[in-house]
Amino acid sequence: MVQSLDRSQGRAGAPAVNGDAAPATFTGNRGLQLEEKLIFEMGQHGRCGVDLPEPVAAKDRLGALRREGEIGLPGLAEPQVVQHYTRLSQKNFAIDSGLYPLGSCTMKHNPRLNEKIARLSGLGDIHPLQPVSTVQGALAVIDTLAHWLKTLTGMPAVAMSPAAGAHGEMCGMMAIAAALEARGEGHRKTVLVPESAHGTNPATAAALGFVVKGIPADSRGRVDVAALKAALGPDVAAIMLTNPNTCGLFENDIREVADAVHAAGGYFYCDGANYNAIVGKVRPGDLGVDCMHINLHKTFSTPHGGGGPGAGPVVLSERLARFAPRPWIVRGENGWDLLEKGIVDDAAPLGRMKAFHGQMGMFTRALAYILSHGADGLRQVAEDAVLNANYVLARLKNDLSPAFDGPCMHECLFDDSFLKDTGITTLDFAKAMIDEGYHPMTMYFPLVVHGALLIEPTETQGKEEIDKFCDTLIDLARRAKSGTATADFKAAPMLAPRRRLDETLAARKPVLRWRPTNREPGDGPLRQAAE
Amino acid sequence: MRYLPLTDADRREMLATIGVRSIDELFRDVPEAARREGPIPDLSMHLGELEVERIFSAYAGANLSPAYTPSFLGAGAYRHHVPAAVDHLIQRGEFLTSYTPYQPEITQGTLQYLFEFQTQVALLTGMDVANASMYDGSTGASEAVLMANRITRRSKAVLSGGLHPHYRAVIETTARWQGFFAIAGAPDVAGTEDLIASIDKDTSCVVVQNPSLFGHVRDLTPLAEACHARGALLIVVVTEIVSLGLVTPPGAMGADIVVCEGQSLGVGLGFGGPYVGLFATRDKFVRQMPGRLVGETVDADGKRGFVLTLSTREQHIRREKATSNICTNAGLCALAFTIHLTLLGEAGFRRLAELNHANASAFAERLAALPGVELVNDTFFNEFTLRLPKPAAPIIELLASQRIMPGVPVSRLIPDDPSVDNLLLVAVTETATEHGMGPAFEALKGVL
């Protein structure tokens, strides 16, 4: 054995067995881990990755506004560009690399069929402002997806245009504001938000001028219904509740909550981030929901893409449907049409959420996902997602510390009490997972649990992968408790493309772009040069 | 079911480990009345790839693709050639199937390309700093107004009549529900509006598009000076990013915030989305910016690396005090944009812009010679406005039935203003050839 990475040798208080112990290389590369410069450090004049013809001779129509001087873009040939981005890609963990248990993000497999379909010329190359007679198929795709979203959720209407979950929240809360205004109750300015909510919920409500009032969780990880009822009054516009909630639990008093909110004259906004747990099994419309956004990039598997694009259609109850934003798609005598006015007589669109008609590329993929799974497969999605999460909970419950009693829904939540007195934090534990080849779970969220670790395995992981993942976490937990490996946890990750990054330094004196005064990477970090 | 690895044997074993007899026991917290039994009504059972492809081929076949027909459509979305390497690279699973880089040690790929993207956007716009993308240009414009309101502590935005009507509508929607004023000018068909007179002590910003909806290219320097003299900010919107290869950038004209639609590079038309919003500003305003930002730092070994930074602006930290509720942005479209621009480089990007301008200039001259047709513009980049002798919309419908799409009738975007009924927006990019321009010219000639 030339280079031992054997665990017993590596972890016994000797953090030397890691990348540092490998011999230094001339290039700085380590096997397949390739150091890569910025494009601005590689480019040269006279190089170009495309071949374009000479422009025809024509009159200059720019007035006096011809751009002067260099823009400063680097020149690279196609092979260099392909190598650059390929090397960058190899520094990323992804769903395609392995189990990506990021809680509340639903990192499920992204079917490649959907990529192929979205790129069909008749869907991918069409212009949003073509005459509607030339895009009947595209409008049919949108309306068909809308139909299934309404059917699955048991809601009568859906606004398709929001671009992401948070954008859908904005749309839904605008609809609620519009409904209150129409009722002459614009004075209702309080929005109740459980403390376990995603940050987007209070951010959305506050942006719309609502006053956010926090509702605590009870000892079971659910919203404290008594506290909620006590907070209800003539000033309450709405409650924003995630269900299943961010503790991975179904709010089993949800009907009671909905009835109480409605009786007090408020609306029920449901954050649908965790819809994957119940798709095909439970219709939010049966739970008293007035509106709910659906993250197509979660439940319906459109790719997360390194942070978007997403899509966040919002299903709306009868009471809110007439406030849906423009444009509306209708079926008339001559086929599908796009209307700037509403469909129904009393339509009062709240406005427009974005240019054009929504995230078409995501609609195509989501509809392909729904049709691929079908009536049987979609229910199986929810069941397997919940089964996998409960299996992880069962396997880990003796070594990690579950935050609440089970069963859970599609994700399981642990607190950091299993690390008590070890000196190891949730962050250290998560970083040690990286060396074992896993993306960490969601950390320190939800806020209602100390040092939270939120695990969502999704339904697209097999039992073998989940067993290996659980075995790994159990081993890490036992090592953490042994007290002999604390330094390793503190130093982790040691085998990733980068070790822990200095986030304080990044924020204290931000360097947000490359500038020509930058030094070569071999000269040492720019940051040190700057200070 | 091809996407679900669990077998029935797995499921039984797992239920036993959990200590329940059936999957239904795991759903016991769901009120019984809300549980749906059996398959979803009216939805077919699961389908194989072949069946799903057949369904979508039919949908696609019911549309007329501009890839196969003369098409000069613009108005905020432009058809450009995207090099083959772009789509190949963005489909690498390490990019396609990763998420927001919360764990920087294993997402340096995403973080580095976003850092490069931010730099490219700053260079193109002539600004100091750019963020890691917005949903699209229109929502970015709305966020820019909110940012200007925060910086100036004022609440009135002045919107140019040359601003894309959808952008205007998005800003007005935000204004209505978030509580500020948006004052919009009449359609600026001639490109001569004077916004300076509209700026007063309550004005937080002026929002102007360059080139405008109607295609005019204007020097915004006097407007920027007037804004600054009265304590307001100038927000410049660019819906055709390729224009910045040839046109003086907003940063050189005094813009405080620049918002662009980046669709033209790498992204494709896609019936309107997803696209990618570019957002740039001055260094001094960076802490009021919305959206994700990537910054440079070092790791524990002193090696250069990148992280998400200044997140104390953001909703996951600040909750109700955040600068914006944005979370997911347009990462993969930003990747497509940055790869396309890297392939082009300085020489290619400038050449691309020259090609667009030359093609548009030549075609404009030709169309303006048609009887009764007037070219409205003195200046333009790759899109111009024609005043036809009769309403444009019926002509466009008629020509669509001949599989020719010469432009976007302004009435499609401004439906209730008869003064724009005869106006047609025509966009000409590097994709235009005589095979498209010839038939489009003849077809227009035939119906006028």
Side-chain angles (χ1 to χ4, degrees), chain A residues 171-252:
Chain A
C171 178
M173 292 303 290
M174 282 176 178
I176 287 172
L180 288 169
E181 192 182 272
R183 273 165 44 188
E185 295 190 51
H187 59 272
R188 287 178 176 263
K189 283 293 172 199
T190 302
V191 170
L192 307 179
V193 181
E195 287 167 357
S196 61
H198 295 111
T200 50
N201 293 176
T204 302
L208 291 168
F210 292 112
V211 177
V212 175
K213 194 165 176 182
I215 303 293
D218 66 15
S219 60
R220 301 154 49 245
R222 270 82 172 181
V223 61
D224 185 329
V225 178
L228 170 80
K229 285 184 174 169
L232 289 172
D235 60 322
V236 170
I239 181 170
M240 297 183 81
L241 185 68
T242 309
N243 197 25
N245 69 24
T246 61
C247 298
L249 303 170
F250 196 90
E251 295 281 356
N252 46 353

Side-chain angles (χ1 to χ4, degrees), chain B residues 55-271:
Chain B
I55 291 168
F56 281 90
S57 294
Y59 284 130
N63 300 324
L64 180 60
S65 169
Y68 304 115
T69 197
S71 164
F72 301 91
L73 308 175
Y78 301 87
R79 178 164 177 260
H80 291 283
H81 176 74
V82 178
V86 174
D87 201 38
H88 166 76
L89 288 166
I90 70 166
Q91 287 199 71
R92 286 191 63 93
E94 302 93 328
F95 288 136
L96 186 76
T97 73
S98 66
Y99 201 18
T100 306
Y102 295 120
Q103 299 287 342
E105 298 88 348
I106 46 171
T107 44
Q108 283 296 302
T110 298
L111 288 159
Q112 183 169 334
Y113 84 64
L114 289 174
F115 185 79
E116 293 171 345
F117 168 87
Q118 289 174 184
T119 307
Q120 286 173 324
V121 172
L123 289 169
L124 291 187
T125 55
M127 302 298 283
D128 296 329
V129 58
N131 75 9
S133 79
M134 308 298 290
Y135 305 134
D136 71 351
S138 67
T139 54
S142 166
E143 289 277 2
V145 172
L146 291 169
M147 176 171 154
N149 291 349
R150 286 193 296 274
I151 291 168
T152 60
R153 298 174 190 273
R154 298 179 183 178
S155 58
K156 190 172 92 182
V158 173
L159 312 183
S160 159
L163 181 64
H164 192 294
H166 285 182
Y167 286 53
R168 168 182 163 174
V170 174
I171 294 171
E172 286 173 340
T173 302
T174 310
R176 179 175 172 196
W177 302 111
Q178 298 203 23
F180 62 89
F181 301 97
I183 314 296
D188 180 31
V189 179
T192 52
E193 71 179 348
D194 178 15
L195 292 168
I196 292 175
S198 312
I199 309 169
D200 62 24
K201 63 178 175 34
D202 299 321
T203 305
S204 67
C205 59
V206 173
V207 184
V208 60
Q209 180 176 323
N210 204 46
S212 75
L213 172 73
F214 302 99
H216 307 287
V217 180
R218 294 186 70 183
D219 182 3
L220 303 174
T221 312
L223 182 59
E225 285 165 359
C227 283
H228 298 156
R230 289 166 214 185
L233 303 189
L234 178 65
I235 297 172
V236 178
V237 169
V238 179
T239 60
E240 170 53 293
I241 193 71
V242 176
S243 68
L244 293 180
L246 208 51
V247 176
T248 305
M253 297 193 279
D256 298 288
I257 305 172
V258 181
V259 177
C260 313
E261 174 50 66
Q263 168 272 333
S264 283
L265 292 184
V267 178
L269 288 170
F271 201 49

Side-chain angles (χ1 to χ4, degrees), chain A residues 49 59 67 69 71-72 89 92-93 119 122 124 126-127 134 137 204 222 307 376 379 384 431 498 502, chain B residues 11 29 36 44 46 63-64 77 87 92 103 106 110 128 244 246 270-271 297 304 325 329 343 346 350 361:
Chain A
K59 187 178 168 190
R67 185 168 191 157
I71 300 170
S89 76
N92 268 6
F93 192 93
R119 285 165 172 83
I126 52 176
H127 191 284
T134 67
T204 302
R222 270 82 172 181
D376 49 342
R379 285 173 62 85
D384 283 1
K431 296 298 183 191
R498 282 291 178 270
D502 190 340
Chain B
R11 293 183 181 112
D29 289 327
R36 311 286 298 184
S44 54
H46 67 270
N63 300 324
L64 180 60
D87 201 38
R92 286 191 63 93
Q103 299 287 342
I106 46 171
T110 298
D128 296 329
L244 293 180
L246 208 51
F271 201 49
T297 188
R304 178 170 71 184
N325 81 338
N329 51 23
L343 282 162
E346 181 91 16
R350 283 180 175 272
S361 179

Side-chain angles (χ1 to χ4, degrees), chain A residues 111-120 365, chain B residues 49 53 91:
Chain A
R112 290 313 192 273
L113 170 66
N114 304 354
E115 296 304 304
K116 182 179 179 185
I117 283 172
R119 285 165 172 83
L120 294 173
R365 290 171 175 88
Chain B
E49 282 207 3
E53 275 192 62
Q91 287 199 71

